[in-house]
Amino acid sequence: MPELKWREYDFVECLGILPERDEFFESHFFRMEKDDLVLEVTVWQYESVVAISLSQVSNRRCFITIYFAVRNKIEFVNEKNSAILRFCDIITVPNRFFYLEDKDVFDRDKVKNNQNLELCIYPHLELQFV
């Protein structure tokens, strides 16, 4: 399993918050509120796995969580009218530990996919597959 290609600073710049880290620096957790939504992003850099959860500020119950393996990289796209984190060549997975049972996800010859996920922070919070 390849190590994730990403820059923590890109997340800090895009989201405008510092991460919480676990004691072994294996995960980075970002939490922000915007547009009456709570966005939580967890990055497990050594496993190349990311989880994104959304909930409402007023309710706090998570209404969606997506786990995915990033097979290429995460890039920050900062333009005049938008701020986006683009997760390149992703495969949705059932949980953080999927690779214990399915080691083929990172083999691009066995699992073909060319799907990206974009997390737009500005001007509005949006999550879309592209």
Side-chain angles (χ1 to χ4, degrees):
M1 154 179 37
E3 189 172 330
L4 184 61
K5 296 177 211 161
W6 76 302
R7 292 180 0 155
E8 180 182 342
Y9 178 76
D10 288 344
F11 277 66
V12 172
E13 186 175 348
C14 184
L15 301 174
I17 52 175
L18 294 173
E20 296 175 25
R21 294 183 190 98
D22 70 3
E23 62 183 298
F24 302 109
F25 294 96
E26 291 180 6
S27 69
H28 297 73
F29 176 75
F30 299 86
R31 184 182 184 283
M32 68 173 292
E33 293 182 14
K34 182 173 175 134
D35 300 334
D36 194 38
L37 294 172
V38 177
L39 170 70
E40 296 177 340
V41 180
T42 306
V43 177
W44 292 279
Q45 64 187 11
Y46 300 116
E47 297 157 345
S48 294
V49 176
V50 177
I52 295 178
S53 297
L54 290 173
S55 59
Q56 290 182 309
V57 171
S58 57
N59 189 349
R60 298 283 187 206
R61 276 190 65 197
C62 178
F63 59 82
I64 188 168
T65 298
I66 301 170
Y67 289 88
F68 53 93
V70 180
R71 300 191 313 174
N72 190 344
K73 64 183 176 182
I74 302 172
E75 58 187 12
F76 175 41
V77 181
N78 190 11
E79 298 176 348
K80 181 179 179 182
N81 297 323
S82 64
I84 296 170
L85 287 171
R86 182 176 297 133
F87 303 87
C88 302
D89 192 8
I90 67 158
I91 300 287
T92 55
V93 295
N95 57 51
R96 172 187 172 192
F97 299 107
F98 76 94
Y99 58 88
L100 297 174
E101 296 178 18
D102 187 1
K103 298 183 187 310
D104 290 339
V105 167
F106 291 100
D107 185 339
R108 290 189 174 116
D109 293 328
K110 290 183 180 179
V111 181
K112 298 190 183 303
N113 187 37
N114 194 18
Q115 190 168 43
N116 297 333
L117 180 69
E118 290 185 346
L119 174 60
C120 181
I121 301 301
Y122 177 80
H124 302 287
L125 189 57
E126 294 178 23
L127 187 62
Q128 65 181 354
F129 290 94
V130 292

